[in-house]
Amino acid sequence: MEYLKKTREWVRNFVIALNLCPFAAVPFRKDQIRIVLEESRDPEELADTLLRELDHLLRTDPKAVETTLIVHPNVLTDFLDYNDFLGVAEDILEEAGLNGILQLASFHPDYQFAGTPHDDPANYTNRSPFPMLHLLREESISKAVDNFPDPDRIPEVNVERLRTMTIAQIRQCWTKQEQ
């Protein structure tokens, strides 16, 4: 389960340590982040896993599982293919009637915002060691945002923070061992 361990380290040593998501520390500390490995090479199997995990999140008390990361290191490794699949994933949410209940965030090793060079540190706000889909509860997001000063500045602050670092420093955060 090396993928799961590395994903957990990335959440702890990058996302939380750099405060890229100010809402991640509490569910991480309470072990409420479910990390699921999808080892298939087939996008349809990933779509099936997405459906199962959406259902699991809906059926599970948020005190037990607040959010889910689906790590899929063998499928959609090309960022353009992954980006195309996000439309499919959004359609799955809509067809399941889950818009406004659950939402999807995306992370990929080659994530690149439109209009940025590939090596822009800003892209690391959505880069991860492996392709993954992040399932979030809308209600939880609303509560967290309501109690956070100026949440609209979070992406801008993250970009500013990462642009003060070198790519080597950023990647080093990913590889720190849990203590």
Side-chain angles (χ1 to χ4, degrees), residues 108-124:
H108 192 280
D110 295 318
Y111 202 99
Q112 184 173 351
F113 290 106
T116 63
H118 187 266
D119 62 349
D120 186 333
N123 293 318
Y124 280 82

Side-chain angles (χ1 to χ4, degrees), residues 97-148:
L98 297 176
N99 284 341
I101 298 169
L102 299 177
Q103 94 175 217
L104 185 66
S106 57
F107 298 95
H108 192 280
D110 295 318
Y111 202 99
Q112 184 173 351
F113 290 106
T116 63
H118 187 266
D119 62 349
D120 186 333
N123 293 318
Y124 280 82
T125 63
N126 285 69
R127 285 197 181 164
S128 56
F130 316 105
M132 63 181 76
L133 301 171
H134 185 188
L135 310 179
L136 302 116
R137 298 173 188 270
E138 290 268 352
E139 185 177 338
S140 298
I141 294 168
S142 294
K143 286 179 186 175
V145 166
D146 288 346
N147 295 312
F148 191 82

Side-chain angles (χ1 to χ4, degrees), residues 42-80:
D42 182 354
E44 288 184 25
E45 288 186 37
L46 176 59
D48 290 343
T49 298
L50 173 59
L51 275 168
R52 279 192 305 277
E53 290 305 316
L54 290 168
D55 182 60
H56 184 271
L57 200 55
L58 285 173
R59 290 183 295 106
T60 306
D61 186 327
K63 291 177 183 172
V65 177
E66 179 61 42
T67 189
T68 300
L69 292 170
I70 303 172
V71 179
H72 50 95
N74 302 317
V75 63
L76 306 174
T77 57
D78 178 87
F79 179 64
L80 295 178

Side-chain angles (χ1 to χ4, degrees), residues 8-48:
R8 184 171 170 75
E9 289 171 358
W10 169 76
V11 171
R12 180 179 181 265
N13 298 318
F14 184 69
V15 176
I16 294 172
L18 295 179
N19 201 31
L20 297 175
C21 178
F23 317 118
V26 171
F28 185 86
R29 191 172 49 254
K30 292 182 176 181
D31 198 28
Q32 296 170 320
I33 299 175
R34 178 176 165 89
I35 303 174
V36 174
L37 178 61
E38 171 53 63
E39 295 184 279
S40 170
R41 297 182 186 281
D42 182 354
E44 288 184 25
E45 288 186 37
L46 176 59
D48 290 343

Side-chain angles (χ1 to χ4, degrees), residues 14 18 121 124 162 165-174:
F14 184 69
L18 295 179
Y124 280 82
L162 291 175
M165 301 172 72
T166 66
I167 299 300
Q169 290 170 322
I170 291 169
R171 302 277 308 171
Q172 184 178 11
C173 291
W174 290 14

